[in-house]
Amino acid sequence: MAQPGESRASLPQLKLDELLEELQARINAARGTQDRVRNLLGAVLSVGRELDLEQALHSIVEAAAVLVEAEYAALGVIGPDGRTLSAFHTVGVTEEQIAAVGRYPEGHGILGELIRHPEPLRLAKISEHPASYGFPPHHPPMTRFLGVPIRVRDQVFGNLYLTEKRGGAEFDEDDESVLSTLAVAAGVAIDNARLYEHSRLRERWLRANAEITHSLVSGSARAESLRLIAERAREIAGSALAAVALPMDDTKSLSVEIAVGLDAEAHRGLVLSLHESLMGLAYSTAAPVTSDDVTHDARISQEPPRFAGLGPAVAVPIRTSEGGVRGVVLLAREAGRPVFSETETEMLNGFAAQAAIAMELAERRQDAQQIALLKDRDRIARDLHDLAIQRLFATGMTLQSACRFIEHPEAAERVLRAVDELDETIKIIRSTIFGLRAGTGPADSGLRARVVRVVGETAPLLDFTPSVRIEGLVDTDVPPETADHVVAVLAEALTNIARHAHADRAQVVLVADGREVSLTVSDDGVGIPGDGRRSGLRNMAERAEQLGGRLAVSSAPGGGTVLDWRVPLPPA
């Protein structure tokens, strides 16, 4: 039995133990807070050091998971539409789990709730929230949730999503406060990374402009410079396809001069309408035109098929300093890739404007060279007229006057022949002078424009417009006589399709490769009946035979007819 004194002594001892325990708890709490603050500061510094945007986003997710002890963490980037996620960065989920679940979330359910209401959201049980509708198959089980938005210059860039606090505890107010603080630092880091990325991108565009300007001003061929424009634009913008189209003589259609990248052959040489193509819309409006999905855009004719595997696209006009449009640059990314942002379109627009200036400078240089050439030709013509012809004429007169003093008949005849030769020489020189001084009047329409005009004239008969592809130097390599035959054969072929084929689609391909010119006209109609009249085909064959060529007619795969008319070209 305890003595009365002992009982009184144990009471203060018990209170002292309790006080010591409480003090120890508070010290531990303070130490824990201090450690958390230190970890938060370390995370802020770590995130702020990153200049690469993708690496910065990954560092933010990792720091968030460590700070609140979450088993799973993700950062969702909100897309341009402001309603869905365009990118998703995760921590805690293995590659095998990601592959089993399938594609990344697009922003539905709880994730979409944070997009619609960009405020911190903390849940003890995800399934009890009204916006929750479960997880896809093979998704890791998740119960507790903490999400906070990331703002960049007052604009919501994305959201941090964290689930399953380690140890089974719930996320508390301290976790929310720490994560919100990290989100502020993340916004600054993302802004810095984007600014750095934009500056590097502008630098690449400027270097490309300098390269193109040097190529044009140094006298490179136009096709080579256009190819350089397409290749550099495709590389810098991360596109699968790049094409450059220039207006045709009638300015009512565009011809794709250069195409590089995915299925470039399907675009090269195409003649495009100003109203049924992305490039045509950019040309007619003199402003950039974008498409979220070029394969399903109602503004664009899908004939002939040329956009397989492509998605986001942008067409930018190459505008002159006077406000005109010199051509159009088209860029297209693979399906599923991000759409072209306003910043990317703006940079591409500036690149095209600089390319137009370079093309203008090159043309001015060519004009100056042409003027110098014409002046030189005029000087040569003047010298020939004032010096050479007068001397030859004087020599002829001298010989002619001296001839009457020559008594030998054969010698006199030779002198007279020499006088005649001098007269012929004078005529030749005068003809040369006329050729040097003759100006180049308005040229007749080239074969390219004539082919497009024939197609346009027969479109009302067909109830559709055939697709047209023209490759090679058809305006310079094809002689006028051959060009006349090409136009006649094309008109006959399209008329036959309108009368007999019952077709819904036709394609015209004209190619000049330096050795021969070939015209291929195909349709998806009923084909040529065995007992049908052949006078039109006979006329086409005779035209080919006159020029040493041939005509071949065959059935198209899947129905229809393919007419292949080709003749050799004279050597250069």
Side-chain angles (χ1 to χ4, degrees), residues 63-80:
V66 171
L67 284 174
V68 299
E69 299 178 342
E71 187 173 349
Y72 304 108
L75 192 157
V77 179
I78 299 176

Side-chain angles (χ1 to χ4, degrees), residues 114-139:
L114 208 59
I115 296 174
R116 293 185 294 272
H117 306 287
E119 298 293 337
L121 178 64
R122 185 157 39 95
L123 302 173
K125 197 169 185 179
I126 295 176
S127 60
E128 293 179 353
H129 194 279
S132 175
Y133 61 81
F135 296 100
H138 310 294
H139 194 284

Side-chain angles (χ1 to χ4, degrees), residues 484-505:
D484 292 340
H485 285 290
V486 169
V487 172
V489 170
L490 175 61
E492 178 73 23
L494 293 178
T495 302
N496 287 343
I497 293 175
R499 289 176 177 172
H500 312 297
H502 304 290
D504 298 317
R505 186 171 62 212

Side-chain angles (χ1 to χ4, degrees), residues 522-523 525-528 552-563:
S522 58
D523 65 74
V526 297
I528 300 176
V553 180
S554 60
S555 298
T561 305
V562 178
L563 182 148

